[in-house]
Amino acid sequence: MLEYLELISEHIDTLMYGASITVMIAVTAILLGMALGLALCFGLLSRHRWIRRPCLAYQSLWRGTPILVQLLIVFYALPVIGLDVPAIVAATAALTMNTSAFQAEIYRGGMLTLGHGQFEAARILGIGVWPARIRILIPQMFRLVLPSLVNETISILKNTSLVSIIAVTELMRVSQQIVATNYRALEIYTATAVIYILMNTVLSMAGRYAERRFAATS
Amino acid sequence: MDILTNLVNWELYLEYGPLLLSGLATTAYICALATVIGIGVGLAVALLSASPVPPVRWLCRGYIEIMRGTPILILLFILYYGGPEIGLRLPAETVGVLGLGIYVGGYFAEIFRSGFQSIPVGQIEAARIMGLSSGQIITRIKIPQMLVLIVPPSINQVIILIKESALLSIITVAELTKNTTQMVNETYAVVEPYIAVALLYWILIEGVAHIGRKIEQRIKV
């Protein structure tokens, strides 16, 4: 046990560095995905077929294929069309587009639960379409979808581990590098698993706190 | 048509079609086995997490939290690269089936647990008073009623599992994604293999969703 702790403490700085990159990628993807997902959600709810159909196709594509395949396509296809971006940008872009499709579905559910009455009332009071959406619909909808949103954040945090295969040095990649030098796969990978579990536990606790906090005001 | 023939080299599919299809078959059977393991483990854990013995409950809770809190990739790495350190030397495919199975078991346990909880305590008490054994209560009272509730999320879980199984390519299992990257590496073609792989996953997943809808219709009646 002592030897195990010594081994981990020797590498804890590197692991923590990897974890910070993991958090950074996950947070960027979730926030950008939130904006894209909201836009997509209104596209899915649009009355116009030519807005709705492409949005549906986009969503079906990103929800229906493995995220690993999506990462590979974005990473290897971008240079083909002349965009030579660093691996970490390609990775964040792929995760963002993936989560935007899932978040759009979450928001769509929230909007449908909210009903049409609020929006109609706001319109009658002379509030514009976008101000009504941004100031009336979205804030209420976020309270409804908070639990699903926390789940999606956890799943994106877990999916960042896949980014390691396109050579982004986040937590998973860092632990692979450590194992490559000392061959202690079991010890290092279990430590990495513990770090992931800790991050996700903090996330779900924060989610539960936010749920209580926002439920109290209603 | 000219654009289609220029953009996509259809002859590649003649050569690599069998490789991709065998990958699809491997993906399908690995996922089927993993689903069976996952449902078995999930059912056991869901039943045990209602146990009157606290340590058993804690163990079940811990198992569910660990499976839901770690990426599947790290679990596969622990089994595949960490396993040999404690004398557990398994072929990649076995690691894949076992890893996916015990991983998805945590999710199935959570689905089954919510299913069991949906059954009113009064029914269980009534069944017990009428002399049904606890085994009979599970198979005759609990499971038939909770099927309606757990089939949609279970199908959803199988679809997620199929997509997660793409990760097995990293530990060298010759499944769909692995065979596709092999095609990319051998032909330097990017468009054809990835169009094919997206389509094949989509077909597999649509197939599972279709079976799911059929099952839903059956149990509703």
Side-chain angles (χ1 to χ4, degrees):
Chain A
M1 192 63 202
L2 196 67
E3 199 237 357
Y4 178 77
L5 288 178
E6 261 171 36
L7 179 74
I8 300 305
S9 67
E10 196 183 314
H11 294 291
I12 194 73
D13 286 346
T14 328
L15 287 173
M16 281 302 148
Y17 165 77
S20 69
I21 302 290
T22 288
V23 169
M24 200 187 79
I25 296 174
V27 168
T28 315
I30 283 294
L31 291 182
L32 291 178
M34 201 172 272
L36 203 57
L38 277 171
L40 191 61
C41 159
F42 289 118
L44 288 169
L45 292 170
S46 167
R47 277 176 292 126
H48 304 290
R49 219 178 302 167
W50 43 270
I51 297 180
R52 208 170 53 228
R53 291 251 170 94
C55 290
L56 263 171
Y58 173 92
Q59 195 193 27
S60 161
L61 190 75
W62 288 95
R63 295 206 310 160
T65 47
I67 194 160
L68 182 68
V69 174
Q70 295 166 3
L71 266 173
L72 291 174
I73 293 179
V74 171
F75 186 61
Y76 290 112
L78 281 184
V80 172
I81 58 166
L83 272 174
D84 218 357
V85 293
I88 191 164
V89 176
T92 313
L95 285 175
T96 301
M97 289 192 272
N98 178 280
T99 186
S100 73
F102 283 93
Q103 286 190 40
E105 193 58 21
I106 294 174
Y107 299 142
R108 199 178 67 92
M111 287 294 183
L112 291 180
T113 318
L114 215 53
H116 217 61
Q118 299 255 352
F119 183 68
E120 278 166 1
R123 291 290 289 142
I124 286 167
L125 288 167
I127 304 171
V129 172
W130 279 101
R133 281 175 179 171
I134 291 168
R135 312 210 41 181
I136 294 171
L137 292 183
I138 293 178
Q140 296 190 75
M141 187 255 329
F142 264 105
R143 199 156 59 193
L144 284 174
V145 301
L146 202 59
S148 320
L149 207 56
V150 172
N151 277 343
E152 174 61 18
T153 311
I154 289 176
S155 99
I156 281 296
L157 190 76
K158 285 164 66 179
N159 281 335
T160 55
S161 63
L162 307 192
V163 166
S164 60
I165 60 150
I166 56 169
V168 177
T169 42
E170 39 64 79
L171 182 52
M172 190 74 209
R173 182 78 181 178
V174 158
S175 36
Q176 277 172 280
Q177 284 168 346
I178 298 173
V179 171
T181 59
N182 66 7
Y183 301 104
R184 307 293 291 272
L186 194 62
E187 292 87 339
I188 298 296
Y189 288 143
T190 41
T192 309
V194 171
I195 297 177
Y196 275 113
I197 293 175
L198 284 179
M199 290 196 289
N200 285 326
T201 312
V202 170
L203 250 177
S204 63
M205 271 162 42
R208 271 198 293 272
Y209 170 77
E211 266 169 59
R212 272 203 311 272
R213 171 85 178 61
F214 291 119
T217 57
S218 67
Chain B
M1 267 331 269
D2 225 34
I3 301 169
L4 276 179
T5 43
N6 285 339
L7 190 71
V8 179
N9 182 0
W10 297 97
E11 279 167 21
L12 277 181
Y13 291 132
L14 281 179
E15 197 182 335
Y16 282 92
L19 183 72
L20 293 183
L21 288 181
S22 88
L24 181 69
T26 310
T27 291
Y29 105 87
I30 285 179
C31 289
L33 282 179
T35 304
V36 171
I37 295 177
I39 288 177
V41 172
L43 197 57
V45 172
L47 288 171
L48 285 175
S49 60
S51 153
V53 190
V56 176
R57 279 205 307 271
W58 298 334
L59 267 178
C60 292
R61 200 63 240 159
Y63 167 76
I64 294 174
E65 289 302 325
I66 290 172
M67 290 307 144
R68 284 160 44 105
T70 37
I72 172 75
L73 190 58
I74 196 88
L75 192 68
L76 293 174
F77 273 35
I78 289 175
L79 275 175
Y80 192 60
Y81 297 113
E85 276 186 40
I86 50 167
L88 197 71
R89 250 171 237 283
L90 298 170
E93 239 177 73
T94 318
V95 169
V97 170
L98 279 180
L100 283 178
I102 55 176
Y103 180 71
V104 83
Y107 287 85
F108 273 123
E110 202 61 0
I111 294 173
F112 293 149
R113 209 173 54 89
S114 68
F116 283 136
Q117 275 175 355
S118 71
I119 292 163
V121 193
Q123 289 198 11
I124 313 295
E125 282 165 357
R128 202 164 287 145
I129 286 165
M130 293 180 78
L132 270 73
S133 69
S134 29
Q136 279 174 319
I137 291 177
I138 291 169
T139 54
R140 295 286 169 87
I141 312 272
K142 284 184 173 174
I143 290 180
Q145 292 195 76
M146 67 182 227
L147 268 185
V148 185
L149 203 74
I150 64 168
V151 164
S154 299
I155 296 293
N156 215 0
Q157 197 53 56
V158 174
I159 289 174
I160 294 171
L161 176 73
I162 292 172
K163 293 193 287 173
E164 302 266 30
S165 76
L167 299 190
L168 298 188
S169 63
I170 299 172
I171 58 163
T172 71
V173 178
E175 45 70 76
L176 187 50
T177 305
K178 177 81 186 164
N179 287 2
T180 310
T181 40
Q182 187 189 333
M183 181 177 169
V184 173
N185 294 338
E186 287 176 7
T187 59
Y188 298 108
V190 180
V191 179
E192 294 86 352
Y194 285 128
I195 291 179
V197 74
L199 264 178
L200 288 176
Y201 271 114
W202 183 75
I203 291 170
L204 187 61
I205 286 167
E206 272 304 307
V208 171
H210 183 76
I211 295 171
R213 281 192 291 270
K214 284 267 182 272
I215 298 176
E216 270 174 59
Q217 279 166 3
R218 275 284 293 278
I219 54 174
K220 246 181 212 161
V221 178

